Amino acid sequence: MSELTSTKLDPDAHLVLEQPLLRLPHELLRKNLKNAQRQIEIANKGITSSLSSDAKKPDDALASLDATLARAQNLKRKLEALHNEEKQLHRQQKARVEHLQALHEIPSLADVKYDSWAHQRLDRLLVDYLLRQGYVDSARQLAAERHAEDLTDVPVFEECGRIEQSLRQGRLQEALSWCTENKQALKKTESKLELELRLQQFIEMVREGQMGKLMEAIAHARKHLAGGQDVEFGLRAGGLLAHPPETLVEPYQAMYSTDRYQHLATLFLQTHHNLLSLPSQPLLHIALSAGLSALKTPTCHSIHAAQPSTLTGSPVCPICSTELNELAKGVPYAHHTKSYMEDDSVVLPNGRVFGRDRLKLLNEKLGTRKGRVRDPTEGLNGEEWAWEDGIVRKVYIS
């Protein structure tokens, strides 16, 4: 009974990291509904105007009816495509709810069903990590092999990665098309992404320096960067007209730089993830950070924290490992109510603490001279100290 109590599963604690799993299909369903409503409104206006027009000749009336039928058929095709997408999203949402519901039916962490569920979650986290790193094909193959297509979001990240790469390569049209599709949602969040993209179009026109392009740039700024828009963008555009591309004046020199496309790509990623309620970093990093925080102590990342030596027989600390060291720097320290120390602990001059008996045993294996001691983690090249000189001190814990 005590074992079951100590390994009791708390589903709510696990679900803290699972919010994006359900929120993304919900956001996509909402977007699908808005698209359907917009298509119906557009088609309704066209059909209403066609039917209300007075056709005096029979040929004109037939042409109007043909145009109306064509609009209706086009609307039907678009709504069928949106309906198929909606059914797929509902299937994904059902699969994800069942996946999370299975966690509530597992009584203990020691249950074999929990191992299966945890492995499936790890597969999801790996797919998410691969997608965010741009390895779309590998992510798709892993999801298919693990039968986790409905639990992952390959199409969403594939589209996001394609637009991101187009921006990094200096192309704006794909990102502008995405902004048009999500215009209302971006307006609600007061996003500046579209204005930044329009400003970049203005910059490219001014960069050419030809009179025709400058006039086109002014017309572009009046249409997209002025009149109810953010005043700052209009002022920046006006300043660019007074400073040529070879200017050394800031901030205009930075605005002419091609590095600005990298900034636009980063801004697009942030906007895309905020719009779909996705975390800014991989879920794998979030899960690892939670575990690393439980292990991190103030001595981690200190001058005394080095890669452990195999001579001590101690396992490699995850915080100090080369793979996780950088990630662990950003997590908070663990809150430990109890400290665990070896019996009869002593501290060496370099700050490391060992149990006296284990320290003597390790030094015997190292071949240290009698009456002398060295830090086992430093191996045979470590500095030696004398046991009796008061340098090796006993540890007292109050």
Side-chain angles (χ1 to χ4, degrees), residues 309 311-312 348 354 358-359 362-363 366 374-379:
S309 170
L311 294 171
T312 64
L348 297 177
F354 295 88
R358 192 167 75 96
L359 183 60
L362 292 172
N363 273 267
L366 289 173
R374 63 160 63 100
D375 185 350
T377 61
E378 297 180 359

Side-chain angles (χ1 to χ4, degrees), residues 38-143:
R38 186 171 65 252
Q39 295 297 335
I40 292 174
E41 291 174 359
I42 294 173
N44 183 51
K45 289 181 180 178
I47 292 173
T48 302
S49 61
S50 297
L51 294 176
S52 61
S53 61
D54 296 330
K56 298 180 179 180
K57 297 181 180 180
D59 293 342
D60 294 339
L62 289 174
S64 178
L65 287 174
D66 289 339
T68 301
L69 288 173
R71 288 191 180 96
Q73 290 173 351
N74 186 40
L75 174 62
K76 181 182 177 181
R77 286 194 297 270
K78 290 181 178 179
L79 291 180
E80 285 178 347
L82 290 172
H83 180 59
N84 292 332
E85 181 181 348
E86 182 183 11
K87 289 195 296 185
Q88 181 179 356
L89 289 172
H90 279 303
R91 188 184 70 247
Q92 288 182 353
Q93 200 166 42
K94 180 181 178 182
R96 296 176 186 206
V97 170
E98 291 175 349
H99 172 67
L100 297 180
Q101 179 61 33
L103 185 64
H104 289 77
E105 299 171 358
I106 302 173
S108 168
L109 295 171
D111 196 309
V112 66
K113 293 181 181 179
Y114 178 75
D115 290 340
S116 176
W117 189 91
H119 278 91
Q120 193 172 27
R121 180 177 63 173
L122 178 59
D123 292 334
R124 290 194 294 104
L125 298 182
L126 289 174
V127 170
D128 175 82
Y129 179 80
L130 291 172
L131 288 171
R132 290 172 182 266
Q133 300 302 313
Y135 302 112
V136 178
D137 292 336
S138 298
R140 185 182 290 108
Q141 291 178 15
L142 177 59

Side-chain angles (χ1 to χ4, degrees), residues 170-201:
R171 303 195 309 272
L172 300 171
Q173 193 55 48
E174 294 181 39
L176 285 169
S177 299
W178 183 85
C179 289
T180 302
E181 293 175 3
N182 299 273
K183 194 173 190 67
Q184 294 301 321
L186 292 174
K187 186 177 181 180
K188 286 183 179 180
T189 59
E190 300 182 353
S191 171
K192 298 294 189 292
L193 175 61
E194 185 174 0
L195 288 174
E196 291 285 0
L197 295 172
R198 295 297 184 185
L199 179 61
Q200 188 63 36
Q201 285 183 315

Side-chain angles (χ1 to χ4, degrees), residues 18 53 62 73 95 119 147 154 203 219 338 348 355 373 391 395:
E18 306 300 338
S53 61
L62 289 174
Q73 290 173 351
H119 278 91
H147 306 289
V154 176
I203 292 172
K338 295 182 179 180
L348 297 177
V373 64
I391 296 178
V395 176

Side-chain angles (χ1 to χ4, degrees), residues 196-247:
E196 291 285 0
L197 295 172
R198 295 297 184 185
L199 179 61
Q200 188 63 36
Q201 285 183 315
F202 179 87
I203 292 172
E204 297 304 330
M205 295 176 190
V206 175
R207 194 193 303 274
E208 295 189 20
Q210 300 175 2
M211 183 57 65
K213 281 294 182 181
L214 290 177
M215 297 303 296
E216 184 179 347
I218 293 173
H220 175 85
R222 287 174 177 172
K223 180 179 179 180
H224 298 290
L225 302 176
Q229 302 288 350
D230 194 316
V231 178
E232 177 190 353
F233 287 88
L235 294 175
R236 290 162 69 185
L240 284 166
L241 291 173
H243 294 83
E246 59 274 10
T247 183

